[in-house]
Amino acid sequence: MKNPFLLAIFLVGALALQDTRSREEERLTFIDKRLEVVYPVIQGFKSLITLDPFKVTQTWIGSEICSYRGFHCDNPPDNKTAVTVASIDFNGFQLFAPSIEGFIDQLPDLALFHANSNNFGGTVPSKIVNLKYLYELDISNNKFTGQFPTAVVGMPGLTFLDIRFNSFSGSIPPQIFGQNLDVLFINDNTFTASLPEIPGDSHILFLTLADNKFNGPLPRSILRSMTTLTEVLFLNNDFTGCIPYEIGLLKGASVIDISGNKLTGPLPLSLMCLEKVEQLNFAGNLLFGAIPDAVCMFLRENLVNFSLSDNYFTHVGPWCKILVERGVLDVRNNCIPFFPGQRSIEECAEFFVKPNYYCPHAWFHSFLPCRYSHISSSSASDFMPMVTPSP
């Protein structure tokens, strides 16, 4: 602004506006001291927001913070007569702010923070570790960057963590799998490296690692420790090696999806142990051999979808054929003789002359880690899978 006169007018106006705001804040009366403390925090964050298509922040005026859109008040656990900001729900607001640092981490009584589908950026503030009541954190579908938010590691009260659809990268700290989480969604980021081996047990019910760049084998310790899992989604990564028999320890799982990787070897017979599974998806890998008929027989009652398409399987037994006829089992684009929709002979031959596709521990696929009444050792032996002969 080159004109000194106009500049002077602008400065006078800005000072007047600031003075007006200061006098307005002096007149505000809050129903609780805790609300008065967080008022400037909220107003400071409001000043950072440059896009607000639904005019949400227009309600963030005055001392009635509990009436602000997206803010919810309650009595804090340490004082049942006090009133404080206990939860925030910004889902779908499409707000744009370069950072949430200095905001979420400065709301000491916050228990829930849901901010799905906004345009928040930067990194997750490290000081959220001080939020002793926080048990749900959903920052999915934003523009966060940097490493995995390690501040959440070790937060004892956190049970729900959703950081999907951001731009986080790097590796995953092994401790996160051992926390008291019910839900861990970290799919659709750019995490790399292999998954860590983890000690001890895990309490996670829903685990989604899909659409990242994880590589290396499926950690046996994760499968061994996560017997409580209900849904596990490993699809669309770069996992290699054979499917470990420990997958059969996921006895509570109803959905298992490991499609779109580079897994090889035969299907493990331990899949027979998955009594509750309804959806199994191993499509788009490098799996081969016979599809274990025992798996089709023992799981046929609950299975709704069993996809083995785009692999290199060579044999289907009578029970599996029944599932194919029912539309439950998908075996398209394999190497099964006399089946429709299979790969060409040349393509199959080219695959089987590559010894690097074979598993170093051939006994893994036939080991049963369960001792359920519906599976006896004698009946299992009757359905031992056929092994593709070495080229």
Side-chain angles (χ1 to χ4, degrees):
M1 192 174 293
K2 297 181 180 180
N3 190 316
F5 180 71
L6 293 178
L7 178 60
I9 293 177
F10 174 79
L11 292 175
V12 170
L15 291 172
L17 179 61
Q18 182 178 357
D19 182 62
T20 300
R21 287 178 175 174
S22 299
R23 284 186 278 108
E24 286 179 352
E25 291 179 10
E26 290 176 2
R27 293 196 299 267
L28 293 177
T29 302
F30 297 89
I31 61 173
D32 195 284
K33 180 67 176 178
R34 299 193 187 208
L35 296 176
E36 183 177 358
V37 169
V38 300
Y39 174 81
V41 174
I42 297 171
Q43 297 304 316
F45 180 63
K46 178 181 177 180
S47 68
L48 295 178
I49 296 174
T50 57
L51 181 65
D52 180 10
F54 301 112
K55 312 299 181 184
V56 172
T57 58
Q58 290 185 4
T59 69
W60 300 1
I61 299 174
S63 60
E64 298 295 327
I65 295 177
C66 300
S67 299
Y68 288 7
R69 188 175 174 191
F71 291 82
H72 304 277
C73 296
D74 206 340
N75 309 118
D78 62 345
N79 188 342
K80 295 302 181 181
T81 62
V83 179
T84 189
V85 174
S87 65
I88 291 176
D89 185 358
F90 290 167
N91 284 353
F93 284 178
Q94 299 180 29
L95 300 172
F96 183 93
S99 174
I100 59 172
E101 191 165 2
F103 173 53
I104 175 178
D105 50 318
Q106 298 300 313
L107 303 175
D109 301 316
L110 195 64
L112 292 90
F113 184 72
H114 291 180
N116 178 291
S117 301
N118 284 277
N119 294 284
F120 298 145
T123 58
V124 177
S126 60
K127 291 183 179 180
I128 66 170
V129 70
N130 299 321
L131 303 181
K132 57 185 176 180
Y133 303 130
L134 187 68
Y135 69 92
E136 286 193 11
L137 178 62
D138 180 357
I139 54 172
S140 58
N141 197 21
N142 279 279
K143 300 182 183 300
F144 291 103
T145 59
Q147 301 290 308
F148 184 93
T150 55
V152 303
V153 176
M155 294 182 70
L158 196 66
T159 61
F160 183 102
L161 179 61
D162 187 351
I163 61 172
R164 296 174 292 171
F165 296 99
N166 281 286
S167 296
F168 292 110
S169 59
S171 58
I172 304 297
Q175 301 93 326
I176 196 66
F177 295 105
Q179 285 189 215
N180 194 33
L181 291 170
D182 295 328
V183 173
L184 177 59
F185 292 157
I186 61 177
N187 55 287
D188 292 273
N189 283 281
T190 56
F191 290 116
T192 54
S194 57
L195 288 179
E197 297 289 346
I198 61 172
D201 295 326
S202 173
H203 305 284
I204 298 176
L205 300 177
F206 300 92
L207 175 64
T208 303
L209 308 179
D211 296 294
N212 279 283
K213 297 180 180 179
F214 292 117
N215 55 58
L218 294 176
R220 298 168 62 188
S221 63
I222 287 184
L223 298 174
R224 191 183 302 121
S225 65
M226 294 187 175
T227 56
T228 58
L229 275 175
T230 299
E231 293 186 9
V232 53
L233 305 179
F234 287 165
L235 65 151
N236 297 335
N237 281 283
D238 291 316
F239 290 118
T240 56
C242 299
I243 301 174
Y245 73 81
E246 283 90 349
I247 195 171
L249 296 174
L250 303 179
K251 56 186 178 180
S254 61
V255 177
I256 300 175
D257 192 336
I258 317 180
S259 61
N261 284 283
K262 299 174 183 176
L263 298 168
T264 189
L267 278 182
L269 200 63
S270 62
L271 293 175
M272 296 162 57
C273 302
L274 302 175
E275 291 184 291
K276 298 182 179 180
V277 72
E278 298 176 2
Q279 298 186 46
L280 280 174
N281 192 351
F282 299 107
N285 280 285
L286 304 172
L287 302 170
F288 60 84
I291 301 171
D293 218 28
V295 172
C296 294
M297 187 190 77
F298 285 112
L299 302 185
R300 68 188 188 279
E301 297 298 329
N302 291 331
L303 273 178
V304 176
N305 181 35
F306 186 13
S307 182
L308 298 175
S309 63
D310 297 289
N311 282 285
Y312 293 87
F313 291 107
T314 55
H315 180 82
V316 175
W319 286 103
C320 290
K321 286 181 180 178
I322 292 174
L323 295 186
V324 172
E325 293 169 357
R326 291 180 181 175
V328 173
L329 175 58
D330 184 358
V331 294
R332 291 173 296 173
N333 211 32
N334 278 279
C335 299
I336 305 169
F338 311 112
F339 255 64
Q342 300 299 296
R343 297 179 187 271
S344 67
I345 295 176
E346 293 77 14
E347 191 176 0
C348 293
E350 182 181 358
F351 172 82
F352 285 112
V353 297
K354 297 178 180 178
N356 54 307
Y357 287 136
Y358 287 81
C359 301
H361 304 293
W363 61 272
F364 271 21
H365 79 280
S366 60
F367 181 75
L368 282 180
C370 57
R371 294 293 182 268
Y372 297 127
S373 59
H374 74 299
I375 300 177
S376 65
S377 57
S378 60
S379 62
S381 63
D382 293 337
F383 293 94
M384 285 295 291
M386 296 174 61
V387 180
T388 301
S390 300

